[in-house]
Amino acid sequence: MTEIQISTEYITLGQFLKLADVIQSGGMAKWFLSEHEVFINNELDVRRGRKLRVGDKIEIPEFGSFTIIG
């Protein structure tokens, strides 16, 4: 599991994808979410504006598992 550190209260799913090097630019987030399944705390979510907070666990099949840390 890869840890992604944030210094704010939350980041959006779109920001997370870029920070975790899953996508190259924020503009790719909408496309990526339409093509791949993303599970947040074991629930499928495709909202790029979804707020991720410390302790959230993100699973992206074929890309890995991530945890948000503060």
Side-chain angles (χ1 to χ4, degrees):
M1 180 153 318
T2 304
E3 295 180 336
I4 302 296
Q5 184 163 4
I6 62 172
S7 57
T8 56
E9 180 184 351
Y10 66 86
I11 62 171
T12 65
L13 179 55
Q15 292 170 327
F16 161 80
L17 292 171
K18 186 169 183 237
L19 190 62
D21 286 331
V22 175
I23 59 176
Q24 285 79 39
S25 71
M28 293 178 67
K30 186 175 182 178
W31 167 83
F32 184 87
L33 292 169
S34 71
E35 297 290 322
H36 300 276
E37 291 184 328
V38 176
F39 296 91
I40 301 169
N41 299 325
N42 296 320
E43 294 181 12
L44 181 65
D45 202 325
V46 296
R47 299 172 293 161
R48 63 185 165 154
R50 163 78 186 259
K51 294 177 180 173
L52 303 176
R53 301 176 192 280
V54 172
D56 282 344
K57 295 181 180 2
I58 300 93
E59 175 80 33
I60 308 172
E62 299 178 24
F63 288 88
S65 300
F66 306 87
T67 300
I68 305 293
I69 62 171

